[in-house]
């Protein structure tokens, strides 16, 4: 379906033309008519589905045709990176309009706070904010919520995981009751259902089934001992000069500095991103990575969700995420839009059960290899709870990249 068929006005169609958006994605096809009709929405969709445009375009279309003198739309998101990214998308989508927006997030310096205060005073149509920062802006009366007609919660499950439930409820209590509310979440656990029953009014429900990774991502795993991880990592990166953009994910901040130190010793240019860095430093690194000036980015899950960097060739999971959904988010950083990509996970003995949970979630058995011979023996693959995938083919030799691991305990 085209955006014209969805009923967008000429101004928005013009911006979409400049952005090269031709056809609506499934979430856009389903969400846009409901939003135009004024319904509340409970949508289950992951990043990569085009969900930002799905909620933002109809809201921008509505705003462009309204008289606006106060902040009219509020978007609440879990992280500052996502706030910045959505704000940037708004700027692109509303290029042909005079709609204004501002991201509000914590972690900046006093100057940021002043700039944000000034922008709010001068009147801004859309605010994209993290819950903590938003709470302090509302409590200090820097943000006037009386004119808010559209409220969007993006990545709501992530916000609840971080512990923002009470903040969100407190913020919403301060908003006008007569508003349209859209709730987007990658997953629909009970706590999201509970939140939606408290804040949505007779919502339309949309589910875009996508807890499975994009089929264009080639997924594989190595069975490793911890002592082999760094050597394997550097070998993987050195052996793949054609991969220009690589992300390595690790669950712990401590590992980030260990990995970077080792990569640098091996002459590989790498930078790290974790919640240890302040906002300015994180933005600078992301900018350099997007511009392909940094080949390898080493990060915690702080950037595993929602961050849209084009043309990432390879994602390496230095460890297995405890939350199986995080795996889908991490590897979803590659094979964005029409591209393909590779995701490799290093599995140590402690992580085997967690990897089993991931395979269960994505309903797929991932090809597992032993480390290359020069690094020694690999551990045997063994999960306590055996899973049933129908056929269990033994791992096979894969293009010389590693040795198949057939050492399964019976
Ligand atoms: P999201 O799921 O919002 O993170 O979007 C993923 C990526 O898809 C972003 O780079 C969007 O700019 C892009 N995108 C969203 N909708 C479309 C569309 N209809 N056509 C082409 N690209 C799109």
């Amino acid at each position: 379906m085209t955006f014209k068929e969805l009923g967008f006005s000429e101004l928005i169609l013009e911006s979409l033309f400049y952005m090269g958006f031709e056809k609506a994605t499934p979430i856009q096809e389903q969400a846009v008519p409901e939003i135009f009709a004024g319904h509340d929405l409970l949508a289950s969709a992951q990043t990569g589905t085009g969900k930002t445009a799905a909620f933002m375009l109809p809201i921008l279309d509505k705003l462009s045709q309204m008289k606006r003198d106060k902040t009219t739309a509020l978007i609440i998101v879990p992280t500052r990176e996502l706030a910045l990214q959505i704000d940037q998308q708004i700027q692109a989508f509303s290029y042909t309009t005079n709609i204004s927006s501002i991201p509000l997030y914590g972690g900046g310096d006093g100057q940021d706070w002043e700039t944000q205060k000034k922008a709010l005073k001068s009147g801004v149509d859309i605010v994209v904010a993290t819950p903590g920062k938003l709470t302090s802006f509302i409590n200090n009366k820097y943000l006037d919520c009386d004119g808010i007609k559209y409220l969007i919660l993006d990545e709501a499950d992530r916000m609840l995981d971080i512990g923002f439930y009470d903040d969100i409820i407190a913020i919403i209590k301060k908003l006008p009751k007569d508003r349209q509310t859209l709730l987007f979440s990658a997953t629909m656990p009970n706590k999201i259902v509970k939140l939606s029953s408290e804040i949505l009014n007779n919502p339309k429900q949309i589910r875009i089934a996508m807890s499975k990774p994009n089929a264009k991502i080639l997924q594989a795993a190595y069975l490793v001992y911890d002592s082999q991880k760094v050597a394997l990592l550097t070998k993987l990166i050195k052996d793949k000069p054609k991969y220009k953009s690589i992300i390595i994910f690790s669950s712990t901040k401590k590992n980030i500095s260990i990995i970077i130190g080792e990569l640098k010793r091996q002459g590989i240019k790498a930078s790290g991103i974790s919640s240890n860095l302040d906002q300015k430093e994180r933005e600078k690194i992301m900018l350099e990575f997007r511009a392909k000036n940094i080949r390898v980015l080493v990060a915690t899950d702080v950037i595993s969700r929602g961050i849209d960097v084009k043309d990432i060739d390879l994602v390496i999971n230095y460890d297995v995420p405890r939350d199986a959904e995080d795996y889908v988010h991490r590897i979803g950083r590659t094979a964005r839009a029409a591209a393909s990509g590779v995701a490799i996970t290093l599995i140590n003995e402690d992580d085997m059960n967690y990897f089993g949970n991931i395979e269960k979630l994505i309903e797929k058995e991932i090809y597992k290899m032993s480390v290359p011979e020069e690094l020694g023996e690999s551990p045997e693959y063994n999960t306590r709870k055996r899973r049933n995938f129908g056929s269990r083919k033994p791992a096979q030799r894969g293009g010389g990249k590693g040795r198949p691991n057939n050492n399964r305990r019976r």
Side-chain angles (χ1 to χ4, degrees):
M1 198 180 262
T2 64
F3 289 97
K4 194 171 178 139
E5 286 166 331
L6 282 170
F8 284 102
S9 62
E10 284 303 323
L11 276 183
I12 299 292
L13 290 177
E14 204 183 328
S15 291
L16 292 174
F17 171 78
Y18 287 126
M19 292 187 74
F21 283 25
E22 285 166 8
K23 281 198 166 153
T25 65
I27 182 82
Q28 291 160 4
E29 275 189 28
Q30 292 186 43
V32 169
E34 304 295 0
I35 301 173
F36 272 143
H39 296 299
D40 278 7
L41 197 65
L42 175 59
S44 141
Q46 297 190 334
T47 53
T49 54
K51 69 181 168 67
T52 316
F55 63 72
M56 221 44 255
L57 291 172
I59 299 294
L60 288 170
D61 201 301
K62 289 180 185 216
L63 291 186
S64 70
Q65 298 175 43
M66 276 166 61
K67 234 181 118 213
R68 314 175 300 270
D69 49 10
K70 285 182 171 178
T71 297
T72 315
L74 174 63
I75 303 163
I76 311 181
V77 299
T79 61
R80 40 199 172 184
E81 276 79 11
L82 193 56
L84 275 167
Q85 188 176 291
I86 292 182
D87 181 62
Q88 281 159 5
Q89 287 209 42
I90 293 173
Q91 314 237 335
F93 293 147
S94 60
Y95 173 66
T96 50
T97 73
N98 59 355
I99 296 170
S100 57
S101 68
I102 187 174
L104 300 182
Y105 46 80
D109 51 27
Q111 207 185 337
D112 281 342
W113 174 259
E114 283 308 317
T115 317
Q116 292 168 350
K117 253 169 51 185
K118 237 192 229 159
L120 287 178
K121 232 188 205 155
S122 65
V124 62
D125 299 313
I126 307 175
V127 167
V128 192
T130 53
K133 193 66 171 185
L134 185 58
T135 302
S136 51
F137 267 86
I138 294 177
N139 290 347
N140 286 308
K141 303 212 180 336
Y142 297 136
L143 174 64
D144 176 1
C145 298
D146 291 353
I148 289 175
K149 292 190 165 44
Y150 306 105
L151 168 68
I152 296 137
L153 301 180
D154 193 17
E155 302 209 350
D157 52 350
R158 187 66 156 183
M159 291 202 274
L160 299 195
D161 284 348
I162 299 172
F164 283 136
Y165 192 97
D166 293 340
D167 294 78
I168 290 173
I169 294 290
I171 292 165
I172 292 177
K173 279 198 178 132
K174 296 191 171 132
L175 305 183
K177 291 224 160 29
D178 184 18
R179 56 158 208 270
Q180 185 176 11
T181 307
L182 316 174
L183 189 154
F184 281 75
S185 186
T187 57
M188 283 291 155
N190 284 341
K191 51 191 180 179
I192 290 290
V193 177
K194 180 168 174 271
L195 177 70
S196 67
S197 70
E198 286 186 40
I199 65 167
L200 299 179
N201 179 15
N202 209 4
K204 297 284 175 186
Q205 294 202 26
I206 295 177
R207 260 173 203 272
I208 297 292
M210 211 194 109
S211 28
K212 292 200 190 105
N214 183 332
K216 283 182 289 187
I217 307 173
L218 177 67
Q219 299 173 66
Y222 278 98
L223 302 171
V224 293
Y225 292 107
D226 276 345
S227 56
Q228 299 166 322
K229 277 188 175 182
V230 171
L232 177 61
L233 196 63
T234 47
K235 182 171 168 48
L236 284 174
I237 294 172
K238 281 193 157 170
D239 284 355
K240 293 182 169 52
K242 74 174 171 37
Y243 291 164
K244 303 288 180 237
S245 229
I246 300 171
I247 296 189
I248 301 169
F249 280 112
S250 169
S251 307
T252 66
K253 294 180 207 168
K254 196 174 129 226
N255 277 344
I256 305 262
S257 31
I258 295 173
I259 296 167
I260 289 186
E262 192 51 39
L263 291 182
K264 284 194 173 151
R265 251 191 301 283
Q266 301 285 336
I268 299 166
K269 200 172 172 196
S271 291
I273 237 176
S274 73
S275 55
N276 274 354
L277 292 184
D278 75 23
Q279 180 58 23
K280 285 253 152 58
E281 291 167 312
R282 280 158 67 169
E283 273 170 45
K284 193 164 163 256
I285 291 174
M286 283 309 289
L287 214 66
E288 292 277 301
F289 185 59
R290 280 198 170 94
K292 314 278 181 233
N293 294 334
I294 296 172
R295 181 173 172 226
V296 182
L297 182 71
V298 191
T300 55
D301 284 296
V302 71
I303 65 150
S304 74
R305 292 193 185 209
I307 296 307
D308 190 24
V309 179
K310 294 211 164 42
D311 305 325
I312 291 171
D313 306 299
L314 172 66
V315 170
I316 301 176
N317 292 314
Y318 187 78
D319 45 39
V320 177
R322 293 294 181 258
D323 178 349
E325 288 276 345
D326 277 338
Y327 174 83
V328 181
H329 285 291
R330 284 183 180 190
I331 72 166
R333 297 312 96 208
T334 184
R336 312 280 288 169
S340 56
V342 178
I344 295 175
T345 303
L346 312 191
I347 312 175
N348 70 10
E349 285 178 300
D350 294 340
D351 283 350
M352 288 178 186
N353 275 318
Y354 294 109
F355 201 72
N357 294 339
I358 289 168
E359 291 184 315
K360 208 161 142 196
L361 174 78
I362 63 175
E363 293 175 355
K364 186 177 173 159
E365 189 169 2
I366 306 293
Y367 177 78
K368 297 172 197 72
M369 296 174 282
S370 296
V371 293
E373 250 155 16
E374 70 258 36
L375 299 182
E377 279 294 308
S378 272
E380 291 174 6
Y381 188 59
N382 173 39
T383 54
R384 261 171 267 129
K385 289 183 206 130
R386 299 306 295 258
R387 290 147 289 114
N388 182 11
F389 292 100
S391 69
R392 289 180 64 85
K393 291 187 194 130
Q396 286 169 14
R397 189 170 284 279
K401 293 185 184 84
R403 294 176 292 144
N405 188 289
N406 292 322
N407 311 337
R408 295 177 182 201
R409 259 176 217 148
R410 304 281 159 204

